[in-house]
Amino acid sequence: QHPTHRTPEIAAALGRAEAFIRSIQRPDGSWYGSWGVCFTYACWFGATGLAALGHSVANDEALRRCCAFIASKQRPDGGWGESYLSCQDK
């Protein structure tokens, strides 16, 4: 709404946020969240953060790896079946 307000500072903050999101992605494409249904939620937040920065599966390897991770965990019934034990068992 205010594209000229503190543009350099906001750009720097967004750059740091993106670097952080990318730095904590696991090699298998997932993100680990230390709460509830940790991998499913963490992938949701990691992917949403990158998408908010203008990235998509079409132009971002991290998002493609995340999607591959999520798809590899889907069960025949369409769900993922992750439970709270994912935080404990990683």
Side-chain angles (χ1 to χ4, degrees), residues 34-60:
S34 56
W35 67 91
V37 187
C38 69
F39 289 100
T40 304
Y41 281 169
C43 284
W44 172 29
F45 290 123
T48 300
L50 292 177
L53 292 165
H55 302 287
S56 72
V57 172
N59 67 15
D60 193 279

Side-chain angles (χ1 to χ4, degrees), residues 22-41:
R22 292 184 186 285
S23 76
I24 63 169
Q25 188 179 29
R26 296 161 50 110
D28 65 5
S30 69
W31 280 276
Y32 174 76
S34 56
W35 67 91
V37 187
C38 69
F39 289 100
T40 304
Y41 281 169

Side-chain angles (χ1 to χ4, degrees), residues 2-3 5 7 9 15 18-20 34 36 40 49-50 54 60-61 67 73 78 82-83 85-86 88:
H2 304 281
H5 178 72
T7 303
E9 294 96 330
E18 181 175 353
F20 174 74
S34 56
T40 304
L50 292 177
D60 193 279
E61 179 60 28
C67 289
K73 305 303 178 201
E82 187 176 17
S83 79
L85 294 173
S86 294
Q88 171 185 303

